[in-house]
Amino acid sequence: MKFPSLLALETEQHAVIDLPFHGIHVVTGSPGAGKTVMAVYRAWALTTAGRDVVLLTRSNLLHQYLAQLAPDLTEALNVTTYHRWIRDFWRVRFQADAPQTDEDGWSYDWIEMQRDCILHKVTSTAQLVIDEGQNLPIGFYQLCRVLGVGVTVFADENQQIDGDQSTISEICRALALRGVPLVLRENRRNSREIAMLAYEFCKENRDEIPLPERTGNTPTLLKVPSLEYLLAGVSQYFNAHPERSIGIICRSTHLLRDIENKLTHLGLAKYTQAYVHDDRYRDAIDFSTRPIRIVSTASMKGLEFDSVFVPDLDAYTEDPTGVEARLRFSTLCTRAREDLHFALRGPREPAILSRIPKTLLVRHTS
């Protein structure tokens, strides 16, 4: 991401920085509206004002991305994940692990936690700034209200594509927000062509979202004979555009690893990083180097790349009328700033693309 300077921010973005330094605030907007940028600026502004600020998100990969996004701003910030914040907070206050409802340790007993905090009169002076806030469960926001922490949430329920998540209205109710959310309306990330394709998958909101003025290349669908053929093309693309970041977004960890190995054999190991949630190097992603990054759809939210390649279009076999499938595909499209390329190895396009006109998605055969 090319992080904008304070002077380059626009009027609706300055409205975020000008929010009061206390209380509850919710900021929403479509993908590309700059919510992540403004989350960093909001945390920076609160820190500058002397507040005890924590910038957090659910995704570990997005946490690393935020921590590296703007070194001049984030160096003084406490950037962490919501799981780490919850666990650290609970151990400090109760000298015990947070109550959980599953053996894996990823789901918390929010009712018991709220009761414990009320009985022991536990509060907090922290100011939480939350990016991709729709990813967090509603119980977390209810706990924040019990603790009396200041919260600024940046969220987009059109990227609510997994199970244990919250809508904007649920977040507002849980936090007892007074007033209405602040809305960032302009898409500052995608080219007009990419945005037009993405909006095809969220038609119920399309008329409310202004199209970007910046134009670029029409997204493409390439029918390829093999994965090796596609990755040879990615290698050529990288050599022709070494200044661009490239995101390869996969649905499965198996394919992610396979692509990483094949790019290594193509001599691109020193330019490539892959993120896998259970890998021992999962906390060592460097967004300032290695411009080719391989990630899963589960980790893609909040990220952006100059160019995006989707190598496994054949894997998108779910019902195209389902809201979850359409929102996932829209979110996938909006990760790309300049170029978006889909690769198909099977005989026919998945149903989710079958009605997309050629004016929005150019089809090529290898």
Side-chain angles (χ1 to χ4, degrees):
M1 173 184 285
K2 299 171 180 65
F3 199 84
S5 69
L6 188 61
L7 294 176
L9 299 182
E10 298 176 21
T11 301
E12 69 173 10
Q13 294 175 303
H14 277 287
V16 176
I17 294 179
D18 293 339
L19 288 170
F21 287 157
H22 60 276
I24 302 300
H25 308 281
V26 176
V27 181
T28 187
S30 60
K35 296 184 296 299
T36 294
V37 167
M38 296 318 302
V40 173
Y41 266 118
R42 172 65 174 170
W44 167 80
L46 288 168
T47 301
T48 303
R51 300 301 197 270
D52 177 18
V53 183
V54 182
L55 175 59
L56 59 81
T57 186
R58 183 164 186 162
S59 161
N60 179 56
L61 182 58
L62 182 55
H63 151 240
Q64 295 181 69
Y65 185 54
L66 288 174
Q68 300 173 42
L69 190 56
D72 293 341
L73 298 181
T74 58
E75 198 172 67
L77 296 179
N78 179 7
V79 185
T80 189
T81 65
Y82 120 97
H83 283 294
R84 289 174 188 163
W85 188 84
I86 284 286
R87 292 169 181 175
D88 291 346
F89 177 88
W90 209 260
R91 288 184 188 121
V92 169
R93 297 303 193 283
F94 294 96
Q95 290 75 54
D97 291 334
Q100 297 166 353
T101 59
D102 69 334
E103 295 181 356
D104 295 329
W106 298 111
S107 295
Y108 303 100
D109 189 333
W110 299 111
I111 300 299
E112 182 178 345
M113 294 170 74
Q114 290 177 53
R115 184 178 63 246
D116 288 347
C117 289
I118 292 171
L119 288 174
H120 293 87
K121 298 181 179 179
V122 174
T123 59
S124 173
T125 59
Q127 290 271 347
L128 302 183
V129 178
I130 304 169
D131 192 30
E132 298 293 339
Q134 75 281 349
N135 292 349
L136 274 57
I138 200 64
F140 173 74
Y141 293 110
Q142 292 167 340
L143 180 65
C144 287
R145 185 178 178 186
V146 168
L147 294 173
V149 300
V151 181
T152 305
V153 184
F154 293 80
D156 173 16
E157 61 189 29
N158 285 324
Q159 295 188 66
Q160 183 198 12
I161 58 177
D162 299 313
D164 188 17
Q165 299 192 345
S166 306
T167 65
I168 301 298
S169 60
E170 288 172 338
I171 293 171
C172 293
R173 283 197 301 271
L175 293 173
L177 175 72
R178 297 179 180 179
V180 296
L182 178 63
V183 181
L184 298 174
R185 299 191 180 279
E186 186 177 341
N187 184 335
R188 297 171 175 83
R189 176 193 301 148
N190 309 122
S191 68
R192 188 180 186 89
E193 290 75 10
I194 291 172
M196 289 172 65
L197 175 61
Y199 296 168
E200 283 292 300
F201 303 103
C202 51
K203 290 185 177 181
E204 62 275 11
N205 298 317
R206 187 171 57 180
D207 293 338
E208 303 173 11
I209 307 173
L211 285 170
E213 294 183 4
R214 179 172 60 87
T215 60
N217 298 320
T218 302
T220 64
L221 189 160
L222 178 63
K223 193 172 187 308
V224 298
S226 66
L227 181 61
E228 289 79 4
Y229 182 96
L230 171 65
L231 296 181
V234 171
S235 177
Q236 292 174 359
Y237 185 95
F238 169 69
N239 290 328
H241 306 282
E243 76 289 352
R244 290 189 178 181
S245 62
I246 295 174
I248 303 176
I249 303 177
C250 313
R251 293 202 74 171
S252 75
T253 300
H254 176 76
L255 178 61
L256 188 154
R257 289 298 196 195
D258 191 21
I259 289 174
E260 182 182 24
N261 290 333
K262 285 180 167 56
L263 289 177
T264 296
H265 292 150
L266 288 171
L268 296 176
K270 67 179 181 178
Y271 304 109
T272 303
Q273 275 190 312
Y275 179 82
V276 179
H277 70 91
D278 57 355
D279 189 274
R280 61 175 176 166
Y281 300 114
R282 67 190 296 268
D283 294 325
I285 303 299
D286 184 353
F287 285 94
S288 64
T289 61
R290 301 195 182 188
I292 304 174
R293 300 178 192 112
I294 317 167
V295 302
S296 68
T297 52
S299 301
M300 69 180 174
K301 283 186 288 185
L303 304 180
E304 61 180 71
F305 310 92
D306 291 322
S307 308
V308 166
F309 290 84
V310 181
D312 52 358
L313 192 58
D314 307 81
Y316 290 82
T317 57
E318 56 264 75
D319 180 2
T321 63
V323 173
E324 184 175 314
R326 290 188 292 110
L327 292 182
R328 180 184 294 110
F329 221 84
S330 176
T331 301
L332 174 65
C333 292
T334 55
R335 299 312 94 197
R337 280 192 290 261
E338 306 291 344
D339 290 305
L340 176 61
H341 306 280
F342 298 95
L344 178 70
R345 285 180 274 167
R348 59 179 68 121
E349 294 180 20
I352 199 165
L353 290 181
S354 60
R355 296 186 180 180
I356 302 298
K358 293 181 181 179
T359 54
L360 298 181
L361 182 65
V362 177
R363 279 76 167 177
H364 293 292
T365 57
S366 58

